[in-house]
Amino acid sequence: MAKFLNTSATNYFLEELIKDAKDRLVLISPFLKLNDRMKELLADKNRLKIDVRIVYGKSELQPEEINWLKELTYIRTSFCKNLHAKCYLNEEICIITSLNLYEFSQINNNEMGVLIRRGDDAELYKDAYEESQRIIRISEEVRISLERVTSVTESHANESDIHEKLTTAKLAQKLGIKTSELFEKLVASGHLEERDGKHYLTPQGKQVGGEFRMSAKFAPYFLWPDTLAV
């Protein structure tokens, strides 16, 4: 049956959950901010080639943390709008708690949680696992990037320039094609490249005015000149 966790117990079992992951690890937390202990644990999972999925609603990573995370091949991040759930699970146990990921190891907070063991409560674990997978499915997998977009102020652009860029979806709508079809054309034309199921802006894409934007509140997206021909 499920076990109640206080603050110290939540921290303890969360660390054990991460360390004991043998096949998969899912970390769902509104804020993506990692302390040294969490980075140490995640780096170890990456060395062991464990599939790690992190779902967040707002990133508070510093530049050096972004560089560090980009080097971890087996850790994938996804953005989920309006995320408020805090759920952490591996293939055997699940923790549903008030503890945000960035608060891990901070025992001065007052937290509560529930520990679910797959072996003791298979149905409850299954429900939590399936909901975590639903959240992953509705999230957009993103590449944590340091790519910096020059602001309108810095580029001394006038107001008319602001309206010359469209999102991929809006540009596709203007061209009368599906967004997925436009992505295919952008890859074929060399403006984007696809690696591991994710799209990356190429130097050619930048040259024609393409921009990658990382938003704290909304999913990352590309901007294109409304006159772009593909």
Side-chain angles (χ1 to χ4, degrees), residues 2 10 101 125 132 154 182 205 210:
T10 301
L101 197 59
Y125 174 90
S132 72
E154 289 172 330
L182 178 55

Side-chain angles (χ1 to χ4, degrees), residues 8-39:
S8 58
T10 301
N11 277 277
Y12 170 78
F13 280 104
L14 177 53
E15 179 165 343
E16 293 301 299
L17 180 153
I18 297 172
K19 290 193 298 186
D20 291 344
K22 300 292 191 299
D23 178 50
R24 63 175 177 266
L25 176 63
V26 177
L27 304 173
I28 297 174
S29 178
F31 296 97
L32 182 55
K33 184 178 180 181
L34 307 172
N35 59 35
D36 290 341
R37 181 57 177 162
M38 180 59 69
K39 288 193 285 187

Side-chain angles (χ1 to χ4, degrees), residues 116-156:
I116 304 166
R117 296 186 184 275
R118 183 181 183 184
D120 297 336
D121 205 332
E123 192 65 28
L124 185 56
Y125 174 90
K126 178 174 177 289
D127 289 343
Y129 174 77
E130 289 182 347
E131 179 62 13
S132 72
Q133 294 304 297
R134 186 192 70 82
I135 290 175
I136 290 174
R137 286 195 301 273
I138 65 172
S139 303
E140 180 171 346
E141 189 171 328
V142 298
R143 174 181 67 117
I144 298 297
S145 175
L146 268 177
E147 186 172 3
R148 187 167 178 265
V149 178
T150 303
S151 70
V152 171
T153 301
E154 289 172 330
S155 62
H156 305 289

Side-chain angles (χ1 to χ4, degrees), residues 139-226:
S139 303
E140 180 171 346
E141 189 171 328
V142 298
R143 174 181 67 117
I144 298 297
S145 175
L146 268 177
E147 186 172 3
R148 187 167 178 265
V149 178
T150 303
S151 70
V152 171
T153 301
E154 289 172 330
S155 62
H156 305 289
N158 56 43
E159 282 194 22
S160 63
D161 293 329
I162 298 175
H163 302 289
E164 291 179 354
K165 296 288 179 76
L166 300 175
T167 64
T168 310
K170 289 292 186 182
L171 181 58
Q173 185 178 9
K174 178 182 177 182
L175 296 173
I177 60 177
K178 295 181 179 179
T179 304
S180 58
E181 185 180 347
L182 178 55
F183 269 114
E184 291 176 0
K185 288 180 177 292
L186 290 168
V187 171
S189 62
H191 297 344
L192 292 176
E193 62 177 341
E194 188 173 2
R195 301 196 307 270
D196 300 324
K198 293 178 281 188
H199 290 102
Y200 298 85
L201 190 65
T202 65
Q204 182 177 328
K206 294 179 184 179
Q207 189 174 1
V208 300
E211 299 178 7
F212 171 81
R213 296 208 173 181
M214 186 74 180
S215 170
K217 293 184 178 180
F218 304 101
Y221 56 94
F222 295 102
L223 288 176
W224 306 98
D226 61 0

Side-chain angles (χ1 to χ4, degrees), residues 3-7 10 95-98 111-115:
K3 175 182 176 67
F4 171 78
L5 304 176
N6 60 16
T7 303
T10 301
I95 296 174
I96 299 174
T97 177
S98 61
E111 307 287 354
M112 291 185 183
V114 175
L115 175 69

